Amino acid sequence: MKLAKLKPKNVSDAIGTLFLVLAVGSTFIFEVQMVLPRIHTIDATVNYFHISAGIFIVFNIMSNLWCLMTTENSTAGLMMPSVLKPNWRFCMVCEGNSPPRSYHCQICDECVLKRDHHCVFSGCCIGYKNFRFYYGLLLYVGIGGFYATVLNQFFVWEALGGFSWITVANHLLPFPFWLFGRISFPVMVYTFISIVDLCGFLFGVSLLYYHSMLMINNQTTYEKNKGITQYSLGHWKTNVVENLGSNWVAAILLSPLVSSPLPRNGIDFPTIKENSLNSSKSK
Ligand SMILES: [Zn+2]
Ligand SMILES: [Zn+2]
């Protein structure tokens, strides 16, 4: 874990991370302070259930984000061979040999192990050692966005004055409607949070689907675009363990703090042939 990695590398990364943290925090406060009292005014147990579920979701989003941002995933500090091996590259910026599947990120200014892409919301690259936290983050942003969107339906339409084509337009464009005096400032804020929650749900679920498809083939975005399939180890479950670690179900569903060791070092990746040879040798 490296705390120095929390420092934003540029303005868009800083805005992206701040937006994510503020969206999660303001949604939680909005649901607990405004939405829940409107839904269950009598039954306190139901409220406690929603609040506990909300705390669990917020904890998973924030802890996955923390682990994602602080996990060291670069080639810096690793012993690299001085001769260029097959599938290795020489990185002109790092002035060193880079292992297969690693690429240099201009923003992070380092070669990242099994690099997928640079994520603006976490301000870091998604690669071999932190993919698991990115996947957990997407899952809980999707779940949290869906949960909040369902709860918001019991609050927002009433706040906007009922369901009609004009209030649908209000809901979609809260800022202009507030500027023209159609809705008050608090209603604009509530509606804006609801839109952010809906976007969080759609964004989280779409990216989760996209990365699940990559994961079951053990590919990065670059490898998918280039049609590289040599790292797939055949069965989808084996490929999932390659990406999320051996204890992936508990680690993804419960918490990023649950241990789920990855089978590789992030430098050497066997092909399906080499992997089956290795596993028959170890039997
Ligand atoms: Zn590099
Ligand atoms: Zn990066």
Side-chain angles (χ1 to χ4, degrees), residues 75 91 93-94 98 103-105 110-111:
T75 57
C91 177
V93 189
C94 299
S98 263
Y103 289 95
H104 191 88
C105 174
E110 59 191 14
C111 270

Side-chain angles (χ1 to χ4, degrees), residues 95-225:
E95 295 180 333
N97 290 336
S98 263
R101 311 186 86 184
S102 72
Y103 289 95
H104 191 88
C105 174
Q106 306 286 351
I107 304 167
C108 298
D109 195 26
E110 59 191 14
C111 270
V112 177
L113 297 171
K114 194 187 162 225
R115 180 174 185 266
D116 191 276
H117 69 283
H118 185 92
C119 166
V120 74
F121 291 105
S122 55
C124 66
C125 267
I126 310 304
Y128 185 68
K129 293 180 180 171
N130 63 1
F131 177 77
R132 168 204 157 174
F133 307 120
Y134 178 67
Y135 197 78
L137 177 72
L138 291 180
L139 177 73
Y140 277 97
V141 164
I143 292 175
F146 176 74
Y147 199 163
T149 300
V150 172
L151 292 179
N152 293 343
Q153 304 311 306
F154 296 94
F155 179 88
V156 168
W157 297 110
E158 201 184 317
L160 286 169
F163 188 84
S164 68
W165 68 268
I166 189 88
T167 53
V168 171
N170 269 15
H171 195 338
L172 294 173
L173 303 161
F175 195 68
F177 275 78
W178 168 67
L179 276 182
F180 289 107
R182 174 69 179 80
I183 51 175
S184 65
F185 181 75
V187 173
M188 189 272 283
V189 174
Y190 305 152
T191 320
F192 181 72
I193 294 174
S194 303
I195 286 287
V196 169
D197 295 339
L198 178 65
C199 293
F201 163 55
L202 297 174
F203 195 67
V205 167
S206 314
L207 280 176
L208 195 69
Y209 174 76
Y210 174 76
H211 283 285
S212 299
M213 290 299 110
L214 287 179
M215 182 169 64
I216 59 173
N217 293 312
N218 199 10
Q219 280 179 313
T220 60
T221 299
Y222 174 82
E223 288 160 2
K224 185 185 189 303
N225 293 339

